[in-house]
Amino acid sequence: MHKGFPGGAVLPDDKDLTEGSSIEKIPRPSAVQIVLDDGTNSTTVETTVRAGEIVARGQVIGLPQSDDGVAVHSSVSGQVRQVAESILADGTKKQSVIIETDDEDRSVLSQEKPQWKVYSEGLIKCLRWAGITQMGLAGGSLVARIRKSLKAGLRYVIINGVESEPLITSEVRLMTEHADKIRHGCELLTEILGLAAPNSKSSGPEGLFALCGLRQQAVGVMRNALKGGTFRLALLADRYPQDEEVLLTNTLTNSKLRATRDPADAGVLVINVTSVWALSQAWYDGEPVTERVITVAGDGTENTGNYRVPIGTRVRDIIEYVGPLPEATRYVLGGPFRGWSRLSPEGVITKQTTGLTVLTQAHRQGPEACIRCGWCIDDCPVGIDPVHLYRLVEAGRIDKVEKAWIEDCIECGLCLYVCPTHLPLLERIRMGKWALRQKRLTRPYSEIRD
Amino acid sequence: MRTKEPVITGPHLCSGESGRRILWTHVGALWLVVVVSTAFFGWSAPVVLAGTVLTCVAVDLAMSRLVGSRNPASLPHAVFMGLLVGLTLPAMADTSWLLQIGVVGAVVASLVGKWIFGGMGHYVWHPALVGILAIHFLYPAPVGMVEQDEQFGTPRRAKYLLLSNNHLFVGDLSKSQSPGFYQFGKSRSGLLRPNSYQGWSHSVPSPPNQTWQLYRPVQTLQALAKGGIKNEEHTSQQGFSAVEKALYLSLPPLADAVVGSAGGGFGETSVVAIMLGGLYLIYRGYVRWQLPVSFLAAAAVAAAVLPMPVGSGGEWVWFPGFVGIGQPSELGVLPMIGSSHWFRAAAVGLTYVSFHLCSGGLMLAAFFLANDMATRPTRLSGQIIFGLGAGALTIVARLYGGWPMAPLGAYGALLVMNTFSPLIDWLTRTKPPGK
Ligand code: SF4
Ligand code: SF4
């Protein structure tokens, strides 16, 4: 038995459909749309290019405005057509740059290969230069995580290769095929962050490499790759959603962090495998993030598999390449649980997109009345009562949702998945969270003080 | 690119379960119980069941229309409730009378039990139990206890639990024929072989309208607890104690109680059929095994440890047969641990506990009534508390009675525990990590 956490569920994840298919490169798309996202949510990114400008692959097109932000690079060589605001898959608006690709594969990579010093500021500089964020479901800034965890006193470095989202195997494939690069990244982290060797008496943060125990192939490869290194392989149970950072931290370090907390504040640095791979590429090969591996899955396409695509590739181009089925109606950016979907292939691949799930139909039917089976409560990985929250939000009792731990919901979607009456539990919880935030914003000053 | 297209949030997959599927599975799990009840109690079983089910469905359709609710799970739910009301009715010869009672029970179950609270998922007490409770108060005789015979003087119509004369006759019914506690002890051989005993698989040779009285085994145990069974035969240690007498002479063989050819409600008697249905529900994941197991375990432990009054002089037996308080020689209680009768005492005690578990609706309550989704606590720990409470209360009700719903045994206990479900839920609520 591998380690797990209370709640959660073992899902029929169908990962074997794509687990064995090696990473394939898709032909250069005719245009890409790169979202100017520096990894931090709040700040804007300054555009360094204008419409009509010729850019090369790896050229910086956006500069971060904040300390924790990272640079944004062009992922193709071509001509900038437009800098415009666009709506992302999750409904938020961001500036993005649309670049039409040309046939000359110009690249700035060979010209300058920066060198960094082997200490934590050097690491942060490298990440900011190469545009490396947390390249997984959680997203967000890796730089901020490193800064916070160093400030709190680094205790653990956890490399997150669990990937418990059903259907998605991009990180499993990445580990299977690029174990070397990931090993180099691990060694680099060991050196910079001063990790203690396993079984040694020396003090220092501990390194853990978390994997799902069920993914035999990746486990085998990584076990070999990590031999003699400081990172200890931690095999976890096949439970969704084990890859959420807080759950992962709680499982591996036997702590009890609240889901609202960032593990980095407790001195636990969680890094996605894809980010480690990108770090290794940036540090040793001088390559910024211009590509990532995604899994194309779902019943709406025949050619499921893992593809290496430039950042900013439009979903439409990918669909065209893998061959669309006429029945496809939903294009989910991300996995089938935590992904956001549109009814048309309008989305673009960003740094944190792990996959593209194409579905033919809505699996959810109209809601019926709750029959109080209690499954949502059983399976909720953070132990809150989703149906109670649902009722509170339906009744408009926003004053009560905070006491019912609405903020602890990690939006894993499990409650909605198991609910036999298909109640929109998670939607209402999101609404409740939003309403709570609004309420906080408008609270009088006297209330905020205490 | 700036279309006003809806964003659809995850999860985009569903587990494929639905309320309809869950409740039809519950109905399906009862089919063996229905078949077995037909086999043992004749055609009156399906007739009465059809009556209760159709009534529940009719009321349900009417109420859904009236309220404007369109829950597709409500129909199988009504079927299930109708079946449960019908299966707990005592098997009697007078089908038309029983049908009448069943229909009234089904109407109450559906209307008062379910729809007054707002339909599926909103009710506080199990609708079928509400129906049973109504039957109990409206028609005291059929589910009533033995002493009401003496109370009313003359036997009332449909008073007894019967094997009617068109049923398939299986099992050793000799000891179930008539309780007649008062006549025991004179001629044991006569009791063990009544003239009418035909052995296995014979239909009852009877003049028209003749029926056999079948008592619920649990009624005998209750009579025992009330001092209704006395030991007149002996004072020596070779003789039977009062407990043994009840077990050996007044009760059907334990095997019969397990198979189901014993007295009781239509669907209450066959432990095997109920267990198979319940195990199927557990296998499908709709019922957690901890609930029925804690229910039965609490009942077994309570039956074993609760002292039972025997005789009229205020004497008690503890783990029947082991320890007696009072005057053992008079009561015929077996000697204490350590004597040569230890094994015999243990056998008596275990048989006694087994009879408590295998009769009187305890099995049906544990496997089919306790785990109604709306009236049980939702969390596992709460369900275990719920099961333990219901099991212990059942035995308390059987041995001591004293509260209004006590004659209903397991059903009364469940009604009480249903009331506490929300409280148990609140007590067992979980908190997110770190809080
Ligand atoms: S979405 Fe939120 S409430 Fe629902 S199971 Fe996941 S954490 Fe619990
Ligand atoms: S899973 Fe759905 S039906 Fe079951 S208790 Fe939760 S909300 Fe109600």
Side-chain angles (χ1 to χ4, degrees):
Chain A
M1 270 306 282
H2 302 305
K3 259 176 143 184
F5 59 96
V10 181
L11 299 175
D13 54 12
D14 289 335
K15 279 185 195 265
D16 45 338
L17 293 180
T18 49
E19 197 184 355
S21 59
S22 48
I23 301 170
E24 204 183 308
K25 236 177 134 94
I26 72 164
R28 196 173 335 117
S30 59
V32 293
Q33 179 187 347
I34 298 170
V35 179
L36 290 175
D37 179 8
D38 65 352
T40 62
N41 244 335
S42 47
T43 50
T44 50
V45 181
E46 189 190 296
T47 328
T48 55
V49 290
R50 241 174 287 126
E53 208 168 300
I54 305 287
V55 291
R57 190 161 65 87
Q59 182 181 335
V60 174
I61 57 171
L63 279 178
Q65 297 296 293
S66 75
D67 259 5
D68 293 338
V70 297
V72 181
H73 305 263
S74 167
S75 58
V76 291
S77 79
Q79 189 179 19
V80 177
R81 195 208 302 157
Q82 202 184 0
V83 181
E85 197 166 61
S86 67
I87 304 167
L88 300 188
D90 60 0
T92 54
K93 280 184 195 163
K94 278 251 164 80
Q95 288 278 333
S96 61
V97 177
I98 299 170
I99 302 169
E100 266 164 26
T101 46
D102 53 23
D103 290 337
E104 319 153 35
D105 194 12
R106 277 167 290 106
S107 150
V108 293
L109 302 182
S110 48
Q111 297 159 16
E112 33 162 337
K113 186 180 173 236
Q115 295 290 326
W116 293 279
K117 300 219 176 70
V118 186
Y119 74 114
S120 59
E121 257 329 292
L123 174 67
I124 286 171
K125 272 197 185 127
C126 169
L127 294 176
R128 295 191 68 195
W129 173 84
I132 300 171
T133 58
Q134 186 76 302
M135 291 169 74
L137 274 158
S141 169
L142 195 54
V143 177
R145 281 181 173 84
I146 293 176
R147 286 216 169 108
K148 274 195 226 163
S149 57
L150 285 176
K151 205 166 131 211
L154 191 62
R155 292 186 298 133
Y156 289 95
V157 176
I158 299 175
I159 296 187
N160 182 358
V162 181
E163 204 176 38
S164 60
E165 183 91 18
L167 297 175
I168 305 297
T169 56
S170 56
E171 289 186 340
V172 169
R173 265 335 281 184
L174 191 71
M175 285 185 277
T176 318
E177 291 181 31
H178 298 275
D180 280 356
K181 286 230 162 113
I182 293 169
R183 192 191 67 221
H184 291 318
C186 289
E187 282 163 3
L188 188 65
L189 286 172
T190 304
E191 208 173 331
I192 292 175
L193 299 173
L195 300 189
N199 310 322
S200 75
K201 291 280 178 299
S202 68
S203 64
E206 207 178 315
L208 292 168
F209 199 105
L211 276 174
C212 172
L214 220 64
R215 310 262 81 82
Q216 303 278 350
Q217 204 182 359
V219 170
V221 172
M222 285 322 295
R223 179 169 281 137
N224 276 336
L226 294 177
K227 219 169 250 165
T230 49
F231 275 87
R232 193 155 52 81
L233 210 59
L235 299 188
L236 297 171
D238 177 35
R239 265 185 174 269
Y240 179 83
Q242 180 70 75
D243 54 356
E244 288 284 344
E245 286 181 17
V246 172
L247 291 180
L248 193 62
T249 308
N250 284 349
T251 311
L252 286 178
T253 66
N254 291 324
S255 51
K256 278 197 169 205
L257 286 187
R258 253 193 99 176
T260 46
R261 285 191 64 193
D262 188 344
D265 289 330
V268 180
L269 177 61
V270 183
I271 309 178
N272 263 86
V273 159
T274 313
S275 297
V276 175
W277 168 76
L279 170 68
S280 162
Q281 279 202 323
W283 190 281
Y284 296 108
D285 307 336
E287 263 191 57
V289 178
T290 56
E291 287 177 324
R292 70 155 297 142
V293 179
I294 63 161
T295 302
V296 178
D299 55 1
T301 170
E302 271 168 354
N303 295 323
T304 55
N306 292 294
Y307 298 92
R308 195 165 163 164
V309 298
I311 305 291
T313 311
R314 291 173 306 182
V315 168
R316 173 166 303 151
D317 293 332
I318 300 175
I319 296 294
E320 238 157 60
Y321 173 66
V322 298
L325 284 184
E327 304 94 294
T329 54
R330 264 150 206 261
Y331 304 90
V332 186
L333 278 170
F337 268 67
R338 283 167 289 190
W340 298 77
S341 119
R342 286 291 203 53
L343 295 177
S344 61
E346 287 301 343
V348 293
I349 303 297
T350 61
K351 283 175 191 168
Q352 66 178 74
T353 313
T354 53
L356 172 64
T357 311
V358 191
L359 298 172
T360 52
Q361 53 176 341
H363 286 252
R364 214 189 298 164
Q365 278 130 34
E368 301 155 14
C370 166
I371 54 171
R372 285 180 51 77
C373 61
W375 294 348
C376 52
I377 304 171
D378 289 341
D379 285 353
C380 177
V382 292
I384 58 178
D385 185 339
V387 62
H388 180 53
L389 285 171
Y390 170 84
R391 295 224 170 98
L392 287 178
V393 175
E394 287 271 281
R397 300 300 305 268
I398 302 302
D399 50 325
K400 288 207 165 175
V401 293
E402 196 178 353
K403 282 267 164 59
W405 321 115
I406 198 170
E407 291 158 296
D408 284 81
C409 170
I410 51 176
E411 308 195 2
C412 66
L414 211 47
C415 47
L416 222 168
Y417 172 81
V418 296
C419 177
T421 55
H422 302 235
L423 285 180
L425 298 165
L426 181 50
E427 269 97 347
R428 291 296 176 278
I429 291 174
R430 283 204 181 103
M431 271 169 64
K433 279 185 173 178
W434 180 83
L436 186 65
R437 266 201 301 276
Q438 295 297 313
K439 196 170 159 238
R440 288 239 178 91
L441 288 177
T442 54
R443 221 160 18 160
Y445 179 66
S446 58
E447 269 183 39
I448 300 171
R449 257 192 13 223
D450 46 54
Chain B
M1 207 135 297
R2 283 162 184 261
T3 44
K4 268 273 171 190
E5 209 192 309
V7 169
I8 302 153
T9 56
H12 305 279
L13 299 179
C14 271
S15 59
E17 290 292 351
S18 66
R20 218 169 349 160
R21 192 164 130 164
I22 294 175
L23 282 151
W24 278 124
T25 312
H26 275 80
V27 173
L30 272 178
W31 78 267
L32 193 61
V33 179
V34 173
V35 168
V36 167
S37 75
T38 312
F40 286 138
F41 301 110
W43 286 109
S44 84
V47 170
V48 171
L49 288 178
T52 52
V53 168
L54 288 180
T55 312
C56 268
V57 169
V59 174
D60 207 77
L61 288 181
M63 287 308 290
S64 308
R65 176 73 47 101
L66 193 71
V67 180
S69 131
R70 261 167 213 253
N71 194 338
S74 199
L75 177 71
H77 186 259
V79 173
F80 189 56
M81 291 303 137
L83 275 178
L84 285 179
V85 171
L87 287 174
T88 52
L89 288 175
M92 292 192 298
D94 196 342
T95 308
S96 60
W97 176 235
L98 196 56
L99 193 59
Q100 221 170 309
I101 297 174
V103 166
V104 171
V107 169
V108 174
S110 201
L111 264 183
V112 182
K114 183 173 171 186
W115 282 101
I116 278 195
F117 294 97
M120 282 216 38
H122 298 293
Y123 47 81
V124 185
W125 293 281
H126 196 301
L129 292 177
V130 173
I132 295 163
L133 188 68
I135 293 174
H136 173 68
F137 282 118
L138 293 175
Y139 308 94
V143 243
M145 294 297 138
V146 176
E147 55 268 11
Q148 269 153 358
D149 185 24
E150 292 149 328
Q151 197 181 320
F152 291 112
T154 49
R156 288 176 28 153
R157 196 155 75 117
K159 164 105 175 82
Y160 296 111
L161 311 165
L162 305 167
L163 279 183
S164 61
N165 51 13
N166 61 352
H167 73 285
L168 186 73
F169 184 16
V170 276
D172 180 4
L173 292 158
S174 57
K175 294 181 210 160
S176 312
Q177 189 186 6
S178 166
F181 304 133
Y182 337 98
Q183 308 141 26
F184 275 150
K186 295 285 183 286
S187 147
R188 237 167 46 221
S189 52
L191 271 169
L192 289 172
R193 288 246 162 261
N195 304 330
S196 41
Y197 177 57
Q198 295 284 315
W200 289 82
S201 301
H202 290 275
S203 57
V204 181
S206 61
N209 302 325
Q210 184 186 334
T211 48
W212 284 14
Q213 300 167 355
L214 259 186
Y215 273 73
R216 297 175 186 217
V218 101
Q219 283 175 309
T220 309
L221 296 177
Q222 278 170 327
L224 176 69
K226 298 237 160 59
I229 298 176
K230 295 207 178 61
N231 184 16
E232 300 161 1
E233 192 184 45
H234 63 85
T235 45
S236 74
Q237 295 207 338
Q238 276 74 40
F240 281 165
S241 68
V243 182
E244 280 178 292
K245 189 191 288 272
L247 294 181
Y248 295 152
L249 300 182
S250 310
L251 287 171
L254 188 57
D256 277 10
V258 169
V259 171
S261 55
F266 280 125
E268 287 170 354
T269 58
S270 177
V271 176
V272 177
I274 295 171
M275 273 224 205
L276 283 176
L279 286 178
Y280 179 64
L281 288 183
I282 292 172
Y283 163 73
R284 287 290 296 267
Y286 296 154
V287 174
R288 284 226 194 71
W289 61 267
Q290 286 95 337
L291 177 53
V293 164
S294 65
F295 196 130
L296 296 178
V301 170
V305 303
L306 287 176
M308 182 173 62
V310 266
S312 43
E315 300 90 349
W316 301 77
V317 217
W318 182 81
F319 193 30
F322 267 170
V323 183
I325 305 157
Q327 286 151 309
S329 58
E330 242 176 59
L331 285 167
V333 168
L334 286 170
M336 311 246 282
I337 302 169
S339 79
S340 57
H341 294 281
W342 193 85
F343 289 111
R344 195 167 135 203
V348 171
L350 287 175
T351 318
Y352 167 79
V353 171
S354 308
F355 268 110
H356 261 303
L357 293 188
C358 294
S359 67
L362 190 80
M363 282 288 164
L364 193 71
F367 281 102
F368 284 95
L369 285 153
N371 48 52
D372 174 74
M373 286 175 167
T375 58
R376 65 168 193 209
T378 37
R379 289 181 186 84
L380 180 58
S381 49
Q383 286 181 16
I384 293 174
I385 297 173
F386 179 84
L388 292 177
L393 264 183
T394 305
I395 302 298
V396 169
R398 282 181 183 174
L399 293 186
Y400 311 119
W403 34 292
M405 282 179 283
L408 286 174
Y411 307 141
L414 267 183
L415 276 171
V416 172
M417 291 312 286
N418 281 348
T419 318
F420 290 114
S421 259
L423 181 68
I424 296 173
D425 256 346
W426 189 76
L427 289 174
T428 56
R429 69 199 184 283
T430 47
K431 284 180 177 178
K435 258 293 160 184

